Amino acid sequence: MDRTRRLRMHPVIRKMVREEHVRIDELIYPMFVIEGENICEPVNSMPGINQYSLDRLNEELDRVKAAGVPAILIFGIPAHKDEVGSGAYDEHGIVQEAIRYIKREYSDLLVIADVCLCEYTSHGHCGLVKNGEILNDETLPLLAKTAVSYADAGADIIAPSDMMDKRVEAIRNALDKHGMVHVPIMSYSAKFASAYYGPFRDAAHSAPGFGDRKTYQMDTANGQEALREVEEDILEGADMIIAKPAMAYMDIIKEIFLNYNIPIIAYNVSGEYSMVKAAAANGWIDEKKIVMENLTGMKRAGAKMIITYHALDAAKWIKEEE
Ligand code: PBG
Ligand code: ZN
């Protein structure tokens, strides 16, 4: 007679039959670099997360290194924004300078550069705007230019998050033309128009000035459409696929996992982080247990890697368990 509890009785057996593990090697930590000097500005809606100017970035990078987290995802906050987001593809833009600094001082850290225009445009949209419409094809050359300039500064991976159609193809072609055939593209393929990005937009100063992102990010109800996005990006040359948000979209991660043979990254986004931090601060939940349970769920769904603001804490907790 089958009794599934038999394998749960001994802690050693429980460990032996454990199917999934969150590994430090698979964690990616997002960081916000802001133009200016002597800045370490807390993001109010994201306790524990700060914006750093380049001259103080070492404080946070030292913590990343000490935690053993192998990779970071960089977002830039420029001092000046304009209609065409020129700060994104400025050779001496904040992200370009940050990448050069990190690759020089922390050479074994993997640097992933988020490519988008919303942090750099005065209207806060991810693409060019004309008569209130977010333009697609006109935006592509700017994204490609941004990607090339990040790769040129030393970015190890390019991660386009804008959700314009055909941007992976445009970026791949541009990288190849510049001899950067070995720079991988980690594409935000299944990216939903989610309210969970709210705290991020405080952190990155990137809330849209009018309207919303629903004409380019996906409708939150559409699972099948997510697979079309993934298929399209793979055909265009994506090497890895990001799904986000993670927790309310675990079905999407699983579907991608079952249908495609490509590494998947779950993005445990800002709102998911803030909810956990708020409940933990109130003593309503056990932060460590909840975070590890959430991250384990992402692995179980099929994620290979996880982008999370909890990365430094999670790495510490994983080490403690060993
Ligand atoms: C920029 C971008 C966003 C996030 C990652 N890249 C915000 C947005 O699309 O508005 C969200 C990340 C998070 O919430 O943690 N396009
Ligand atoms: Zn954007």
Side-chain angles (χ1 to χ4, degrees):
M1 196 182 33
D2 200 18
R3 286 179 179 270
T4 48
R5 288 186 61 196
R6 269 182 213 123
L7 298 185
R8 293 175 201 149
M9 293 301 163
H10 196 295
V12 172
I13 298 181
R14 281 203 299 276
K15 269 193 175 176
M16 284 176 155
V17 301
R18 189 150 218 239
E19 295 175 34
E20 295 295 342
H21 297 85
V22 180
R23 298 170 52 232
I24 297 175
D25 287 344
E26 298 163 341
L27 297 176
I28 300 166
Y29 185 58
M31 293 181 70
F32 300 98
V33 191
I34 188 166
E35 220 168 313
E37 274 164 36
N38 193 25
I39 302 170
C40 168
E41 181 71 25
V43 179
N44 288 332
S45 52
M46 301 180 72
I49 301 296
N50 307 296
Q51 306 163 329
Y52 290 91
S53 52
L54 207 43
D55 56 350
R56 291 187 64 177
L57 198 57
N58 63 308
E59 298 169 22
E60 185 81 329
L61 289 165
D62 286 344
R63 281 189 282 272
V64 174
K65 217 174 145 177
V69 170
I72 57 171
L73 173 63
I74 296 216
F75 295 98
I77 308 156
H80 303 287
K81 304 185 188 227
D82 60 30
E83 284 280 295
V84 292
S86 54
Y89 39 92
D90 177 350
E91 198 192 327
H92 295 290
I94 180 64
V95 167
Q96 286 84 348
E97 295 296 347
I99 294 170
R100 284 187 200 103
Y101 167 75
I102 298 164
K103 293 312 290 186
R104 191 171 66 237
E105 302 292 328
Y106 298 81
S107 54
D108 42 8
L109 206 55
L110 190 85
V111 178
I112 306 168
D114 182 279
V115 169
C116 201
L117 298 187
C118 55
E119 296 101 325
Y120 306 90
T121 51
S122 42
H123 44 72
H125 279 288
C126 305
L128 291 174
V129 172
K130 194 175 172 190
N131 302 328
E133 191 190 321
I134 289 78
L135 304 175
N136 195 93
D137 296 11
E138 294 79 353
T139 301
L140 301 180
L142 301 185
L143 296 168
K145 208 163 140 181
T146 305
V148 168
S149 99
Y150 291 166
D152 191 54
D156 297 295
I157 297 179
I158 296 299
S161 70
D162 53 282
M163 288 299 278
M164 296 301 126
D165 287 328
K166 307 288 172 195
R167 90 279 205 201
V168 172
E169 179 181 64
I171 290 172
R172 185 70 271 160
N173 286 340
L175 289 172
D176 291 355
K177 209 175 87 193
H178 287 82
M180 298 160 176
V181 289
H182 292 302
V183 176
I185 297 176
M186 181 188 271
S187 179
Y188 290 79
S189 303
K191 176 169 177 180
F192 290 87
S194 169
Y196 280 104
Y197 309 151
F200 172 93
R201 292 176 191 169
D202 296 338
H205 300 165
S206 67
F210 68 91
D212 52 41
R213 302 212 200 286
K214 288 182 182 166
T215 67
Y216 42 107
Q217 297 180 352
M218 289 183 52
D219 190 298
T220 56
N222 296 359
Q224 290 197 292
E225 194 186 330
L227 296 186
R228 283 185 61 196
E229 288 281 3
V230 170
E231 179 155 348
E232 181 63 30
D233 282 3
I234 292 174
L235 290 172
E236 288 179 33
D239 302 284
M240 293 177 261
I241 299 295
I242 303 176
K244 76 183 265 208
M247 286 162 56
Y249 299 82
M250 296 261 196
D251 58 321
I252 305 292
I253 298 172
K254 190 75 181 187
E255 284 287 336
I256 300 171
F257 179 78
L258 293 174
N259 283 282
Y260 298 97
N261 208 343
I262 192 164
I264 302 166
I265 300 95
Y267 196 144
N268 180 210
V269 299
S270 57
E272 299 172 324
Y273 172 84
S274 301
M275 291 196 306
V276 169
K277 295 300 274 191
N282 276 295
W284 296 338
I285 57 170
D286 180 324
E287 182 174 354
K288 171 180 167 176
K289 287 185 179 146
I290 290 280
V291 168
M292 293 314 295
E293 188 172 331
N294 288 345
L295 300 182
T296 303
M298 293 167 210
K299 292 296 306 279
R300 208 182 54 243
K304 188 76 202 72
M305 291 157 262
I306 302 174
I307 302 169
T308 180
Y309 303 94
H310 296 291
L312 305 192
D313 291 331
K316 190 184 74 194
W317 295 327
I318 293 166
K319 260 185 218 156
E320 282 169 9
E321 294 292 310
E322 277 166 1

